[in-house]
Amino acid sequence: MKLQVALVASYFLSFFITRLKLPGWAIYCLHLALATAINCLASLCVWFNVPNPASGIVCLLVSIVISGKVISIGDFKGLRRSQQSQPSLKQLAFFLFAPTMVYCDAYPLANSRSPKRVLGLVLLILFTISFEYSFAMQYMLPSLYNTASAFDDGDWLKLAEGVFKMAVPALVLWTMGFVGFFHGLLNLLAEILRFGDRHFYSAWWNSTSLSMFWRQWNRPVHLFLKVHVFEPLELMGAQEGCSMPCPRMRKV
């Protein structure tokens, strides 16, 4: 709990950084340093204080998301200065929980919330968590124990057999985790916040190449990389193209 509080507190340092009377590149560099500090803090805390691997992975993923949001704020408020120069605490709080990693002063908002949809998404998340736990205990854990014992004994044939036995259950767990996170949790956050853009994934199961799969299965991260990595590289002459400005939208 202390780690989560520290991460959120570090995130809101952006409120003070953007108000410093410094050049845009300095504002951006301070945000980069803050993002690096957030990831280092989370890594050290997980390494020394979180013995549960699942909890450690969740903490590290949260720190990566928060650091990405910090970089996005630094890019738009430091280098580009394409929007208001100083974000408010309300805007930062909305962006912290919004299911996106690209900062804007305002986002498209739905007119209302649907309590039935919120309830349905909560039930979906609970179902996926229960299913994954039961499935892992029933099918993954025995194979994992057998594989670990084979590794200790140096029985490489049995080790390979155990790895192949876990391939299909691992695919099932990954698919259910995708449904629970991208369709369940992100849509739940969007419904609660009335967030309008709910294109969190495309039809990655119809992908005809690996590059298409990586562009479609995780749209928030793909958009982050496009706006904050690929477009700046294009502007620096990596290839022909131009940056896509953030659209004008309703204010939060």
Side-chain angles (χ1 to χ4, degrees), residues 15-213:
F15 177 79
F16 302 100
I17 295 176
T18 53
R19 281 160 172 75
L20 297 175
K21 295 181 179 180
L22 296 173
W25 64 267
I27 297 292
Y28 180 68
C29 289
L30 286 176
H31 280 85
L32 281 180
L34 177 59
T36 303
I38 288 174
N39 282 320
C40 291
L41 173 64
S43 300
L44 290 174
C45 289
V46 169
W47 181 266
F48 291 106
N49 299 318
V50 183
N52 189 319
S55 300
I57 291 174
V58 171
C59 292
L60 292 177
L61 289 176
V62 170
S63 70
I64 292 172
V65 171
I66 292 179
S67 62
K69 289 175 181 280
V70 168
I71 292 174
S72 181
I73 296 171
D75 189 357
F76 278 113
K77 298 305 180 182
L79 295 181
R80 306 193 189 198
R81 295 189 182 273
S82 58
Q83 308 174 58
Q84 297 176 7
S85 59
Q86 297 178 348
S88 65
L89 285 175
K90 182 179 179 181
Q91 289 171 324
L92 290 178
F94 185 91
F95 181 52
L96 176 62
F97 294 100
T100 180
M101 293 186 67
V102 177
Y103 178 82
C104 282
D105 284 327
Y107 295 92
L109 299 177
N111 294 325
S112 61
R113 302 179 183 88
S114 173
K116 290 184 179 180
R117 180 168 173 79
V118 170
L119 178 60
L121 292 171
V122 170
L123 293 177
L124 173 64
I125 294 171
L126 293 177
F127 169 76
T128 55
I129 293 174
S130 302
F131 176 86
E132 287 201 312
Y133 179 81
S134 302
F135 191 85
M137 292 297 104
Q138 182 70 27
Y139 296 101
M140 291 288 290
L141 201 59
S143 297
L144 188 60
Y145 282 147
N146 293 334
T147 304
S149 62
F151 180 79
D152 293 335
D153 298 336
D155 190 345
W156 302 111
L157 183 62
K158 188 176 180 180
L159 177 62
E161 179 186 359
V163 171
F164 282 115
K165 281 184 177 180
M166 289 190 293
V168 174
L171 178 61
V172 172
L173 289 178
W174 185 91
T175 304
M176 291 302 297
F178 174 87
V179 172
F181 183 79
F182 285 93
H183 187 74
L185 181 60
L186 294 186
N187 273 293
L188 177 63
L189 291 174
E191 190 67 35
I192 294 174
L193 297 174
R194 298 190 294 119
F195 192 78
D197 184 5
R198 306 188 184 187
H199 186 194
F200 304 125
Y201 59 91
S202 299
W204 53 266
W205 46 89
N206 293 329
S207 299
T208 56
S209 64
L210 186 60
S211 62
M212 182 183 295
F213 168 79

Side-chain angles (χ1 to χ4, degrees), residues 228-239 241:
H228 298 296
V229 178
F230 300 136
E231 288 180 355
L233 289 176
E234 289 178 359
L235 292 176
M236 289 187 292
Q239 64 181 45

